[in-house]
Amino acid sequence: MSDPVLVEVLRGARLESRHRGAVAVADAGGRAVLALGDVECLVFPRSAVKALQAMVLIEIGAADAYGFGDEELALACASHSGEPGHVAGVTRMLAKVGLDATALACGAHWPLSQPAMVALARSGEPSALHNNCSGKHAGFICGACAMGIDHIGYWKPDHPVQRHVRAVLEDLSGEALGEDRRAIDGCSVPTWAMPLQKLAQAFARFGTGHKLAPERARAAARLRAACTSKPWHVAGTGRFCTEIMRLFGSRVFVKTGAEGVYCGALPELGLGISIKCDDGAGRAAQAIMAALIARFLPLSDKERASLRPFAGPTLRNWNGFEVGALRVTDALR
Amino acid sequence: MSDPVLVEVLRGARLESRHRGAVAVADAGGRAVLALGDVECLVFPRSAVKALQAMVLIEIGAADAYGFGDEELALACASHSGEPGHVAGVTRMLAKVGLDATALACGAHWPLSQPAMVALARSGEPSALHNNCSGKHAGFICGACAMGIDHIGYWKPDHPVQRHVRAVLEDLSGEALGEDRRAIDGCSVPTWAMPLQKLAQAFARFGTGHKLAPERARAAARLRAACTSKPWHVAGTGRFCTEIMRLFGSRVFVKTGAEGVYCGALPELGLGISIKCDDGAGRAAQAIMAALIARFLPLSDKERASLRPFAGPTLRNWNGFEVGALRVTDALR
């Protein structure tokens, strides 16, 4: 069975490329509100579950112990662009436990943001602080410190921090995550494959607290509030996650992951969303997420107009000429 | 009808993403040797036909008039990485007609090569010379100058240079390219949609000279020789086109295009190859091209071993850990 075409890429008036994918929208009990394509397929959620991975930081008491505010919590949930404010925030998190960039095991890469990369090239070299996952890693390190255990090896599957993360993912998804589900993420921590449908349920639980123990529900609410009030810290200048959460505030939580994954929650509707673009294309996953928000969330005309460029962006070339567009297919409307 | 899955992306041992596409392998008469997926679909060949677009440079006498050697001709066929040697070569081409970067209408972008981008950031800003298409544009400009006409507007569909390019594309593909087939490429010149099958035929003709007038066949042979003897000028350090042509010399011509297009020729077999990845993924188109070379070209064990990492590259994360791999499917074997 092949997943439906969800996004088309036009050049002029002609179809140039197309993206297939699967979409699950579900409530906290796992009831499907929308299922397109194979929602039972196992998906590595990658960075789309960073907010769920960050629950440990609050549940273990680290956020309180180190006085983390919304910016630090949003950074722990972030795939940030490596802009100076992101780097400063992660540095601050590590300083709370007397550590620095050398404690990070995520590896170094140049900032995702091109302006940040150019500016950094003019002053130095990238460090692990610029890695888009550095906030999450700083969170894990602080979690280990709050547990009173060695932070070295915090990224390994059998470290207590990662065991806690796995338990959170199992609780929210309702899925047993056996060793056969584990692979290594881009930043070296475990990533756990689960059915797309269960991933939507996990985000419904994250977005509402339903079906969660009170302490876990409170941790979810605190992270959601942090991300939606500090969306720049979750991604960065001009990024989709940032712009969408800026537009809708606490009404929408969204988070991108590598290989065409996008997850989100619409708390007022009690719904979680999970998207997997078959081919791993982020451009398509973004357009699908924008289309789903437009489909489910009650919107003013102004909000609807603001969403439109995200669901159907115009493509421009190096001279700024309009050369094409993305459009979502009828399957999503 | 959906195109077959041609490339799978694994994370650990599990399927993470997959790429569908169409493949045509044909001879100069249009006889299909391999047809996978919808080879009748209209495809914008984008930069994959730069060598065909560069025919004008030789046919009009510009290459001889300005004394262009293999490096300049390879640059005219290139999607280069913007490394210093590329920029110097294009500067040299423009200087032959008394012009400089300001004559280029391709727009500026940072070099495709990350080391080149970092080095440039430390010394200045990108110009149109760094645009991966600058060699092609310099070729168009020199073509206009050799025609004795104004080079201004050389990129517009009704300019004599572009009319010549269109005639070459029609001759090689055997396809009438009406106005309804035209769209705007990333560098603002026209790109003409044609059936994938006809694109393979065009590259069989380019690779052999069969079915072409003698003068056109000679122009094709000269460009092929330039690209396969100076493959670094066609792409750049570590790039697929460069590495493949370095491995096989005059036995293989390959050229990448945007949105998952790859074209090539195997002259000794009289075959042309065209690939379109449905979703526009370059990583998949490359793997497919490597698999097709391995399938059709008689190879030594050493050559076969050299091709393997291109057809099934290992994926590593920021720490260099092996996290997955690409693999081509049985449809390609």
Side-chain angles (χ1 to χ4, degrees):
Chain A
M1 194 191 71
S2 61
D3 286 333
V5 174
L6 298 178
V7 176
E8 295 177 330
V9 183
L10 303 177
R11 181 152 298 258
R14 273 186 197 285
L15 182 68
E16 181 165 33
S17 300
R18 54 191 186 277
H19 299 282
R20 294 174 183 273
V23 169
V25 182
D27 69 16
R31 191 180 61 91
V33 171
L34 179 69
L36 297 173
D38 181 9
V39 298
E40 299 302 325
C41 67
L42 295 180
V43 164
F44 287 113
R46 310 290 303 272
S47 288
V49 291
K50 275 179 175 165
L52 314 192
Q53 292 172 310
M55 299 274 280
V56 61
L57 187 58
I58 295 174
E59 294 186 357
I60 228 67
D64 287 334
Y66 307 120
F68 289 158
D70 286 344
E71 293 188 0
E72 290 84 1
L73 293 179
L75 279 168
C77 302
S79 294
H80 65 71
S81 292
E83 298 175 73
H86 300 127
V87 172
V90 177
T91 303
R92 210 162 59 226
M93 290 172 75
L94 290 167
K96 292 276 188 179
V97 291
L99 295 169
D100 60 21
T102 58
L104 294 169
C106 47
H109 67 67
W110 287 95
L112 297 184
S113 151
Q114 193 179 78
M117 177 182 170
V118 169
L120 178 60
R122 286 172 178 161
S123 64
E125 297 284 340
S127 74
L129 290 166
H130 300 92
N131 185 308
N132 75 90
C133 302
S134 67
K136 177 177 75 174
H137 280 248
F140 288 151
I141 290 167
C142 293
C145 294
M147 285 178 185
I149 58 174
D150 193 354
H151 68 277
I152 304 285
Y154 69 85
W155 52 278
K156 294 183 180 171
D158 57 354
H159 189 279
V161 164
Q162 297 304 331
R163 278 195 260 150
H164 188 111
V165 167
R166 179 181 178 175
V168 170
L169 291 170
E170 288 186 323
D171 184 28
L172 270 68
S173 67
E175 184 79 1
L177 299 174
E179 284 302 306
D180 64 315
R181 298 293 186 83
R182 178 164 59 82
I184 306 171
D185 212 329
C187 65
S188 299
V189 302
T191 181
W192 301 92
M194 62 178 78
L196 195 66
Q197 170 72 19
K198 294 297 181 76
L199 192 53
Q201 173 194 299
F203 274 87
R205 292 183 182 184
F206 175 77
T208 61
H210 298 163
K211 310 269 181 189
L212 299 180
E215 190 197 5
R216 182 150 287 167
R218 275 194 298 275
R222 187 165 164 193
L223 285 174
R224 241 170 40 233
C227 292
T228 56
S229 69
K230 298 289 179 185
W232 182 85
H233 290 78
V234 178
T237 307
R239 296 266 305 278
F240 183 88
C241 288
T242 298
E243 294 302 324
I244 292 294
M245 291 194 283
R246 203 170 263 163
L247 270 172
F248 295 102
S250 61
R251 299 183 70 198
V252 178
F253 172 87
V254 287
K255 181 67 188 69
T256 187
E259 289 292 330
V261 177
Y262 235 104
C263 290
L266 304 175
E268 73 194 61
L269 302 175
L271 298 177
I273 297 172
S274 59
I275 297 162
K276 167 68 185 179
C277 208
D278 290 2
D279 52 65
R283 67 179 177 182
Q286 286 186 188
I288 294 166
M289 180 58 86
L292 291 173
I293 295 170
R295 175 169 168 168
F296 286 100
L297 204 65
L299 299 173
S300 69
D301 289 348
K302 194 179 157 207
E303 286 169 329
R304 194 164 296 278
S306 302
L307 258 184
R308 209 163 288 135
F310 295 103
T314 298
L315 302 177
R316 295 183 183 279
N317 73 5
W318 298 112
N319 283 321
F321 299 167
E322 186 174 331
V323 293
L326 261 66
R327 71 174 174 206
V328 296
T329 64
D330 286 343
L332 279 164
R333 287 190 197 108
Chain B
M1 195 189 75
S2 62
D3 286 332
V5 174
L6 298 178
V7 176
E8 295 177 330
V9 182
L10 304 178
R11 181 153 297 262
R14 272 185 199 283
L15 182 67
E16 180 164 35
S17 299
R18 54 193 188 274
H19 299 281
R20 294 172 183 272
V23 170
V25 182
D27 69 16
R31 190 180 61 90
V33 171
L34 179 68
L36 297 174
D38 181 9
V39 298
E40 300 301 325
C41 67
L42 296 179
V43 164
F44 288 112
R46 311 291 302 272
S47 288
V49 292
K50 274 180 176 165
L52 314 191
Q53 292 171 311
M55 300 275 280
V56 61
L57 187 59
I58 295 174
E59 294 186 357
I60 227 69
D64 288 334
Y66 306 121
F68 288 160
D70 285 344
E71 292 188 1
E72 290 84 359
L73 293 179
L75 280 168
C77 302
S79 295
H80 66 70
S81 294
E83 297 175 75
H86 300 126
V87 172
V90 177
T91 303
R92 212 162 57 226
M93 290 172 75
L94 291 167
K96 291 277 187 179
V97 291
L99 294 170
D100 61 19
T102 58
L104 295 168
C106 47
H109 66 68
W110 286 96
L112 297 184
S113 151
Q114 193 178 78
M117 178 181 169
V118 169
L120 178 60
R122 286 170 179 163
S123 63
E125 295 284 339
S127 74
L129 291 166
H130 300 91
N131 185 307
N132 74 89
C133 301
S134 67
K136 176 176 77 173
H137 280 248
F140 289 151
I141 290 167
C142 293
C145 293
M147 285 178 184
I149 58 175
D150 193 354
H151 69 275
I152 304 285
Y154 69 86
W155 53 276
K156 293 184 180 170
D158 58 352
H159 189 280
V161 164
Q162 296 304 329
R163 278 196 260 150
H164 188 110
V165 168
R166 178 181 178 176
V168 170
L169 292 171
E170 288 187 323
D171 185 27
L172 270 69
S173 67
E175 185 79 1
L177 299 174
E179 285 300 307
D180 64 314
R181 297 290 186 85
R182 179 163 59 80
I184 307 170
D185 212 330
C187 64
S188 298
V189 303
T191 182
W192 301 92
M194 61 179 78
L196 195 67
Q197 169 73 18
K198 295 296 182 78
L199 191 54
Q201 173 194 298
F203 274 87
R205 292 183 181 185
F206 175 77
T208 61
H210 297 164
K211 309 272 180 186
L212 299 181
E215 190 197 4
R216 183 151 288 167
R218 277 193 299 275
R222 189 166 163 192
L223 285 175
R224 240 169 43 232
C227 291
T228 56
S229 68
K230 297 290 179 187
W232 183 84
H233 290 78
V234 179
T237 307
R239 296 267 304 277
F240 183 88
C241 288
T242 297
E243 295 302 324
I244 292 293
M245 292 196 282
R246 203 170 261 163
L247 270 173
F248 295 103
S250 61
R251 299 182 71 199
V252 178
F253 172 86
V254 286
K255 181 68 188 68
T256 186
E259 290 294 331
V261 177
Y262 235 104
C263 290
L266 305 174
E268 73 195 63
L269 303 175
L271 297 177
I273 297 171
S274 59
I275 297 162
K276 167 68 185 179
C277 208
D278 290 3
D279 52 65
R283 66 178 178 183
Q286 287 186 185
I288 295 167
M289 180 59 86
L292 292 173
I293 295 169
R295 174 169 169 169
F296 286 101
L297 205 66
L299 298 174
S300 69
D301 288 348
K302 193 178 158 208
E303 287 169 329
R304 194 165 295 278
S306 302
L307 257 183
R308 208 161 291 135
F310 294 103
T314 298
L315 302 178
R316 294 184 183 279
N317 73 5
W318 297 112
N319 284 322
F321 299 167
E322 187 174 329
V323 293
L326 261 66
R327 71 175 175 206
V328 296
T329 64
D330 287 343
L332 279 165
R333 288 190 196 110

PDB file of all heavy atoms in Angstrom, chain A residues 8-16 323-325 327, chain B residues 44 180 182-184:
ATOM      1  N   GLU A   8       2.163  18.789  -3.267  1.00  0.00           N
ATOM      2  CA  GLU A   8       2.687  18.875  -4.628  1.00  0.00           C
ATOM      3  C   GLU A   8       3.571  20.111  -4.745  1.00  0.00           C
ATOM      4  O   GLU A   8       3.292  21.152  -4.153  1.00  0.00           O
ATOM      5  CB  GLU A   8       1.534  18.972  -5.630  1.00  0.00           C
ATOM      6  CG  GLU A   8       0.691  17.699  -5.646  1.00  0.00           C
ATOM      7  CD  GLU A   8      -0.509  17.783  -6.578  1.00  0.00           C
ATOM      8  OE1 GLU A   8      -1.030  18.899  -6.762  1.00  0.00           O
ATOM      9  OE2 GLU A   8      -0.910  16.736  -7.097  1.00  0.00           O
ATOM     10  N   VAL A   9       4.636  19.970  -5.511  1.00  0.00           N
ATOM     11  CA  VAL A   9       5.537  21.086  -5.770  1.00  0.00           C
ATOM     12  C   VAL A   9       5.350  21.478  -7.231  1.00  0.00           C
ATOM     13  O   VAL A   9       5.507  20.645  -8.124  1.00  0.00           O
ATOM     14  CB  VAL A   9       7.012  20.677  -5.530  1.00  0.00           C
ATOM     15  CG1 VAL A   9       7.943  21.870  -5.736  1.00  0.00           C
ATOM     16  CG2 VAL A   9       7.179  20.090  -4.133  1.00  0.00           C
ATOM     17  N   LEU A  10       4.979  22.731  -7.442  1.00  0.00           N
ATOM     18  CA  LEU A  10       4.750  23.214  -8.796  1.00  0.00           C
ATOM     19  C   LEU A  10       5.914  24.071  -9.250  1.00  0.00           C
ATOM     20  O   LEU A  10       6.495  24.823  -8.461  1.00  0.00           O
ATOM     21  CB  LEU A  10       3.480  24.071  -8.848  1.00  0.00           C
ATOM     22  CG  LEU A  10       2.195  23.405  -8.360  1.00  0.00           C
ATOM     23  CD1 LEU A  10       1.053  24.409  -8.399  1.00  0.00           C
ATOM     24  CD2 LEU A  10       1.870  22.190  -9.204  1.00  0.00           C
ATOM     25  N   ARG A  11       6.248  23.959 -10.538  1.00  0.00           N
ATOM     26  CA  ARG A  11       7.159  24.925 -11.170  1.00  0.00           C
ATOM     27  C   ARG A  11       6.340  25.527 -12.295  1.00  0.00           C
ATOM     28  O   ARG A  11       5.855  24.812 -13.167  1.00  0.00           O
ATOM     29  CB  ARG A  11       8.435  24.258 -11.676  1.00  0.00           C
ATOM     30  CG  ARG A  11       9.425  25.244 -12.334  1.00  0.00           C
ATOM     31  CD  ARG A  11      10.864  24.788 -12.219  1.00  0.00           C
ATOM     32  NE  ARG A  11      11.249  24.718 -10.835  1.00  0.00           N
ATOM     33  CZ  ARG A  11      11.987  25.651 -10.203  1.00  0.00           C
ATOM     34  NH1 ARG A  11      12.433  26.709 -10.830  1.00  0.00           N
ATOM     35  NH2 ARG A  11      12.284  25.508  -8.941  1.00  0.00           N
ATOM     36  N   GLY A  12       6.185  26.857 -12.294  1.00  0.00           N
ATOM     37  CA  GLY A  12       5.190  27.452 -13.170  1.00  0.00           C
ATOM     38  C   GLY A  12       3.853  26.803 -12.821  1.00  0.00           C
ATOM     39  O   GLY A  12       3.510  26.670 -11.642  1.00  0.00           O
ATOM     40  N   ALA A  13       3.119  26.351 -13.810  1.00  0.00           N
ATOM     41  CA  ALA A  13       1.815  25.744 -13.545  1.00  0.00           C
ATOM     42  C   ALA A  13       1.900  24.222 -13.524  1.00  0.00           C
ATOM     43  O   ALA A  13       0.895  23.547 -13.352  1.00  0.00           O
ATOM     44  CB  ALA A  13       0.825  26.196 -14.619  1.00  0.00           C
ATOM     45  N   ARG A  14       3.104  23.666 -13.700  1.00  0.00           N
ATOM     46  CA  ARG A  14       3.259  22.218 -13.828  1.00  0.00           C
ATOM     47  C   ARG A  14       3.733  21.562 -12.545  1.00  0.00           C
ATOM     48  O   ARG A  14       4.558  22.111 -11.830  1.00  0.00           O
ATOM     49  CB  ARG A  14       4.316  21.891 -14.896  1.00  0.00           C
ATOM     50  CG  ARG A  14       3.780  21.811 -16.253  1.00  0.00           C
ATOM     51  CD  ARG A  14       4.849  21.350 -17.245  1.00  0.00           C
ATOM     52  NE  ARG A  14       4.384  21.686 -18.557  1.00  0.00           N
ATOM     53  CZ  ARG A  14       3.437  21.022 -19.198  1.00  0.00           C
ATOM     54  NH1 ARG A  14       2.895  19.961 -18.648  1.00  0.00           N
ATOM     55  NH2 ARG A  14       3.027  21.417 -20.385  1.00  0.00           N
ATOM     56  N   LEU A  15       3.289  20.318 -12.342  1.00  0.00           N
ATOM     57  CA  LEU A  15       3.769  19.522 -11.225  1.00  0.00           C
ATOM     58  C   LEU A  15       5.242  19.179 -11.442  1.00  0.00           C
ATOM     59  O   LEU A  15       5.606  18.635 -12.491  1.00  0.00           O
ATOM     60  CB  LEU A  15       2.949  18.231 -11.156  1.00  0.00           C
ATOM     61  CG  LEU A  15       3.285  17.289 -10.001  1.00  0.00           C
ATOM     62  CD1 LEU A  15       2.891  17.916  -8.677  1.00  0.00           C
ATOM     63  CD2 LEU A  15       2.574  15.954 -10.183  1.00  0.00           C
ATOM     64  N   GLU A  16       6.089  19.515 -10.472  1.00  0.00           N
ATOM     65  CA  GLU A  16       7.508  19.153 -10.595  1.00  0.00           C
ATOM     66  C   GLU A  16       7.882  17.994  -9.668  1.00  0.00           C
ATOM     67  O   GLU A  16       8.620  17.099 -10.061  1.00  0.00           O
ATOM     68  CB  GLU A  16       8.407  20.365 -10.297  1.00  0.00           C
ATOM     69  CG  GLU A  16       9.886  20.010 -10.442  1.00  0.00           C
ATOM     70  CD  GLU A  16      10.806  21.226 -10.510  1.00  0.00           C
ATOM     71  OE1 GLU A  16      10.514  22.243  -9.876  1.00  0.00           O
ATOM     72  OE2 GLU A  16      11.833  21.130 -11.229  1.00  0.00           O
ATOM     73  N   VAL A 323       8.854  31.340  -9.036  1.00  0.00           N
ATOM     74  CA  VAL A 323       9.065  30.233  -9.988  1.00  0.00           C
ATOM     75  C   VAL A 323       8.118  29.063  -9.749  1.00  0.00           C
ATOM     76  O   VAL A 323       8.007  28.171 -10.588  1.00  0.00           O
ATOM     77  CB  VAL A 323      10.516  29.713  -9.948  1.00  0.00           C
ATOM     78  CG1 VAL A 323      11.481  30.776 -10.474  1.00  0.00           C
ATOM     79  CG2 VAL A 323      10.905  29.282  -8.537  1.00  0.00           C
ATOM     80  N   GLY A 324       7.430  29.051  -8.612  1.00  0.00           N
ATOM     81  CA  GLY A 324       6.547  27.924  -8.340  1.00  0.00           C
ATOM     82  C   GLY A 324       5.932  28.041  -6.965  1.00  0.00           C
ATOM     83  O   GLY A 324       5.935  29.125  -6.363  1.00  0.00           O
ATOM     84  N   ALA A 325       5.406  26.939  -6.471  1.00  0.00           N
ATOM     85  CA  ALA A 325       4.725  26.947  -5.176  1.00  0.00           C
ATOM     86  C   ALA A 325       4.581  25.525  -4.660  1.00  0.00           C
ATOM     87  O   ALA A 325       4.684  24.564  -5.427  1.00  0.00           O
ATOM     88  CB  ALA A 325       3.346  27.581  -5.317  1.00  0.00           C
ATOM     89  N   ARG A 327       1.737  23.122  -2.721  1.00  0.00           N
ATOM     90  CA  ARG A 327       0.312  23.116  -2.369  1.00  0.00           C
ATOM     91  C   ARG A 327      -0.052  21.767  -1.778  1.00  0.00           C
ATOM     92  O   ARG A 327       0.438  20.726  -2.222  1.00  0.00           O
ATOM     93  CB  ARG A 327      -0.558  23.464  -3.582  1.00  0.00           C
ATOM     94  CG  ARG A 327      -0.624  22.393  -4.624  1.00  0.00           C
ATOM     95  CD  ARG A 327      -1.629  22.741  -5.739  1.00  0.00           C
ATOM     96  NE  ARG A 327      -1.555  21.735  -6.788  1.00  0.00           N
ATOM     97  CZ  ARG A 327      -1.880  21.954  -8.062  1.00  0.00           C
ATOM     98  NH1 ARG A 327      -2.282  23.141  -8.457  1.00  0.00           N
ATOM     99  NH2 ARG A 327      -1.815  20.970  -8.945  1.00  0.00           N
TER     100      ARG A 327
ATOM    101  N   PHE B  44      10.979  18.614 -15.582  1.00  0.00           N
ATOM    102  CA  PHE B  44      11.881  19.750 -15.802  1.00  0.00           C
ATOM    103  C   PHE B  44      13.305  19.260 -15.540  1.00  0.00           C
ATOM    104  O   PHE B  44      13.623  18.901 -14.403  1.00  0.00           O
ATOM    105  CB  PHE B  44      11.560  20.904 -14.852  1.00  0.00           C
ATOM    106  CG  PHE B  44      10.289  21.631 -15.187  1.00  0.00           C
ATOM    107  CD1 PHE B  44       9.183  21.563 -14.342  1.00  0.00           C
ATOM    108  CD2 PHE B  44      10.189  22.384 -16.349  1.00  0.00           C
ATOM    109  CE1 PHE B  44       8.012  22.234 -14.648  1.00  0.00           C
ATOM    110  CE2 PHE B  44       9.010  23.066 -16.661  1.00  0.00           C
ATOM    111  CZ  PHE B  44       7.919  22.986 -15.809  1.00  0.00           C
ATOM    112  N   ASP B 180       4.123  26.132 -23.616  1.00  0.00           N
ATOM    113  CA  ASP B 180       3.458  25.550 -22.444  1.00  0.00           C
ATOM    114  C   ASP B 180       4.397  24.635 -21.652  1.00  0.00           C
ATOM    115  O   ASP B 180       4.062  24.212 -20.550  1.00  0.00           O
ATOM    116  CB  ASP B 180       2.216  24.766 -22.874  1.00  0.00           C
ATOM    117  CG  ASP B 180       2.591  23.572 -23.742  1.00  0.00           C
ATOM    118  OD1 ASP B 180       3.413  23.739 -24.672  1.00  0.00           O
ATOM    119  OD2 ASP B 180       2.070  22.471 -23.488  1.00  0.00           O
ATOM    120  N   ARG B 182       7.482  25.597 -20.806  1.00  0.00           N
ATOM    121  CA  ARG B 182       8.519  26.450 -20.240  1.00  0.00           C
ATOM    122  C   ARG B 182       8.203  26.901 -18.817  1.00  0.00           C
ATOM    123  O   ARG B 182       7.084  27.303 -18.521  1.00  0.00           O
ATOM    124  CB  ARG B 182       8.723  27.686 -21.131  1.00  0.00           C
ATOM    125  CG  ARG B 182       9.774  28.664 -20.611  1.00  0.00           C
ATOM    126  CD  ARG B 182      10.223  29.625 -21.693  1.00  0.00           C
ATOM    127  NE  ARG B 182       9.144  30.414 -22.254  1.00  0.00           N
ATOM    128  CZ  ARG B 182       8.612  31.507 -21.695  1.00  0.00           C
ATOM    129  NH1 ARG B 182       9.075  31.937 -20.543  1.00  0.00           N
ATOM    130  NH2 ARG B 182       7.641  32.162 -22.297  1.00  0.00           N
ATOM    131  N   ALA B 183       9.218  26.845 -17.957  1.00  0.00           N
ATOM    132  CA  ALA B 183       9.129  27.459 -16.626  1.00  0.00           C
ATOM    133  C   ALA B 183      10.468  28.140 -16.366  1.00  0.00           C
ATOM    134  O   ALA B 183      11.361  28.132 -17.217  1.00  0.00           O
ATOM    135  CB  ALA B 183       8.823  26.413 -15.562  1.00  0.00           C
ATOM    136  N   ILE B 184      10.600  28.756 -15.199  1.00  0.00           N
ATOM    137  CA  ILE B 184      11.811  29.516 -14.872  1.00  0.00           C
ATOM    138  C   ILE B 184      12.672  28.702 -13.926  1.00  0.00           C
ATOM    139  O   ILE B 184      12.202  28.220 -12.898  1.00  0.00           O
ATOM    140  CB  ILE B 184      11.446  30.863 -14.210  1.00  0.00           C
ATOM    141  CG1 ILE B 184      10.457  31.632 -15.073  1.00  0.00           C
ATOM    142  CG2 ILE B 184      12.709  31.685 -13.951  1.00  0.00           C
ATOM    143  CD1 ILE B 184       9.876  32.861 -14.370  1.00  0.00           C
TER     144      ILE B 184
END
